Amino acid sequence: MNHIPIPFKFKKEENKGKAITMSPKKIILVTGGSGLVGKGIEAAVQREEARDDEEWHFVCSKDADLTDIESTEALFKKLQPTHVIHLAALVGGLFRNLKFNLDFFRVNSKINDNVLSLSHKYGIKKVVSCLSTCIFPDKTTYPIDETMVHNGPPHTSNYGYSYAKRMIDISNRGYHDQHGCNFTAVIPTNVFGPHDNFNLEDGHVLPGLIRKVYDAKKNDSEFVIWGTGSPRRQFIYSLDLGRLIVWVMREYPEVDPIILSVGEDEEISIKEAADMVVEAMDFTGKVTQDTTKADGQFKKTASNAKLKKYLPDFKFTPIKQAIKETVEWYKANEHQVRK
């Protein structure tokens, strides 16, 4: 368990004659804290977002089995959190989702119900859960927005994971309406960055591209792009997402979810992403495409209008810079990354 101790300080009231009072201390539990998004939040807290009245606990599967209610409750009893950022999930790439849709539905449903039910039981002041754009209907109009989550079935390639994640939104509304709980959710687009999963079967598209280009350069072999390269995605750097989730935990007032994404005009094709990785890796070898591989969903263009309404001046890291930083991190940590 990774614990960031934040020193506790007294806060003086400005009005003369009032007694000195203490700011209430927030104990923030981050499930799935050792993963890509958890590390992004941790980096945001350490670099620029730390506050004196907060204590952060980043936990992983070694600290508790969140599919088991007793193990999950033991974690809540131990840490006594006041706030929860719920990231933990069974995740995988396109090909693993295709094989194990039932497993993704059952495992994630258990995890989510355990975390939310115990958050209600222990009076957690706020829970922020992490969803995904894959939860949106497969057949829809674009751009998708927060009102469209339940408008139709998700893509058949990952319906198990998608429906389990959708049910978090249903639970959030239920806990709010029935018990007054302040539970909400964020919907990031395609996340990438340091500490990603670089497994070629279980990982997502950008870490897969980085791994394949690195291996091709190391072995002096060709780099093969799976599929046509035509599907389009909005990518968000994990460090940017970390800053935004911290803001949601502290400031976002709604139960309804919020999409955390770059703008529609920053959507790029898989082929364009691959070209950026090739450039960042200084790869000069042969590049080919295996069009027998499945492309998956063609596009999932998301609107970030709601985010811009709240944070009109938020600056995202330019995609080329973010990919370059991720490539450099991978090169420096190649022997210990998840793959």
Side-chain angles (χ1 to χ4, degrees):
M1 179 169 60
N2 193 359
H3 167 220
I4 300 179
I6 305 298
F8 183 75
K9 294 183 178 180
F10 289 95
K11 180 179 179 181
K12 293 183 178 180
E13 296 285 352
E14 296 297 328
N15 295 336
K16 190 175 181 180
K18 288 188 176 181
I20 295 176
T21 59
M22 293 187 296
S23 299
K25 192 174 187 180
K26 296 178 182 176
I27 308 297
I28 304 155
L29 165 63
V30 183
T31 70
S34 64
L36 169 65
V37 180
K39 288 295 185 181
I41 295 172
E42 185 177 2
V45 172
Q46 290 176 333
R47 294 182 185 185
E48 57 188 270
E49 301 289 344
R51 289 187 179 177
D52 292 341
D53 63 344
E54 294 177 351
E55 181 176 297
W56 292 76
H57 296 267
F58 294 83
V59 303
C60 64
S61 57
K62 294 179 181 179
D63 301 298
D65 176 6
L66 299 183
T67 65
D68 180 80
I69 189 68
E70 293 180 356
S71 178
T72 309
E73 184 159 17
L75 180 68
F76 274 69
K77 287 181 177 179
K78 177 181 178 181
L79 298 181
Q80 294 292 309
T82 61
H83 295 68
V84 173
I85 297 177
H86 176 39
L87 311 175
L90 176 65
V91 298
L94 171 62
F95 301 103
R96 190 177 179 201
N97 273 287
L98 283 166
K99 291 179 182 178
F100 303 110
N101 267 296
L102 177 61
D103 292 351
F104 279 99
F105 178 75
R106 296 187 68 218
V107 171
N108 285 307
S109 295
K110 287 180 182 178
I111 291 172
N112 300 334
D113 188 58
N114 287 343
V115 170
L116 294 182
S117 65
L118 288 170
S119 292
H120 166 238
K121 179 178 179 178
Y122 284 85
I124 302 302
K125 295 179 180 178
K126 188 169 187 178
V127 178
V128 179
S129 296
C130 190
L131 310 184
S132 166
T133 52
C134 72
I135 69 175
F136 284 96
D138 178 32
K139 293 177 172 53
T140 187
T141 56
Y142 295 98
I144 50 182
D145 65 38
E146 294 85 353
T147 67
M148 301 162 67
V149 170
H150 304 285
N151 284 1
H155 194 268
T156 56
S157 64
N158 59 359
Y159 65 86
Y161 179 83
S162 299
Y163 275 119
K165 284 291 188 178
R166 277 192 191 185
M167 291 305 102
I168 290 180
D169 180 53
I170 299 298
S171 295
N172 287 346
R173 295 170 189 272
Y175 277 110
H176 176 265
D177 293 345
Q178 193 167 328
H179 301 292
C181 297
N182 187 9
F183 296 175
T184 190
V186 298
I187 310 175
T189 46
N190 296 265
V191 192
F192 73 98
H195 304 279
D196 210 335
N197 179 2
F198 294 86
N199 185 287
L200 295 181
E201 183 173 350
D202 295 344
H204 291 100
V205 58
L206 253 176
L209 292 171
I210 290 171
R211 163 86 182 277
K212 290 169 71 175
V213 175
Y214 179 88
D215 289 348
K217 183 175 182 179
K218 182 179 179 180
N219 300 323
D220 195 24
S221 59
E222 68 179 13
F223 162 48
V224 182
I225 301 171
W226 288 357
T228 66
S230 58
R232 304 185 64 80
R233 297 290 184 266
Q234 290 156 290
F235 293 100
I236 181 170
Y237 194 29
S238 58
L239 276 68
D240 293 339
L241 180 59
R243 292 159 56 208
L244 288 170
I245 291 178
V246 172
W247 168 78
V248 170
M249 189 273 295
R250 291 172 178 163
E251 307 292 342
Y252 179 64
E254 300 183 33
V255 172
D256 292 337
I258 182 169
I259 291 172
L260 303 182
S261 174
V262 299
E264 301 162 43
D265 58 341
E266 295 184 61
E267 185 178 57
I268 62 174
S269 71
I270 302 304
K271 179 61 168 60
E272 290 172 317
D275 290 341
M276 292 180 191
V277 174
V278 166
E279 179 182 347
M281 196 74 73
D282 296 321
F283 178 73
T284 57
K286 184 179 180 181
V287 179
T288 61
Q289 290 180 241
D290 180 359
T291 56
T292 65
K293 298 293 187 183
D295 274 334
Q297 196 167 352
F298 175 69
K299 66 184 298 184
K300 297 186 280 187
T301 313
S303 169
N304 70 348
K306 189 176 188 178
L307 174 64
K308 289 194 293 185
K309 181 187 75 172
Y310 280 105
L311 296 176
D313 299 322
F314 186 87
K315 302 297 183 185
F316 289 94
T317 305
I319 182 68
K320 282 192 175 183
Q321 177 186 334
I323 288 177
K324 181 65 174 178
E325 290 179 6
T326 305
V327 163
E328 293 304 315
W329 181 90
Y330 180 84
K331 288 160 63 175
N333 296 275
E334 188 265 337
H335 296 295
Q336 59 187 24
V337 299
R338 288 184 292 161
K339 61 178 183 177

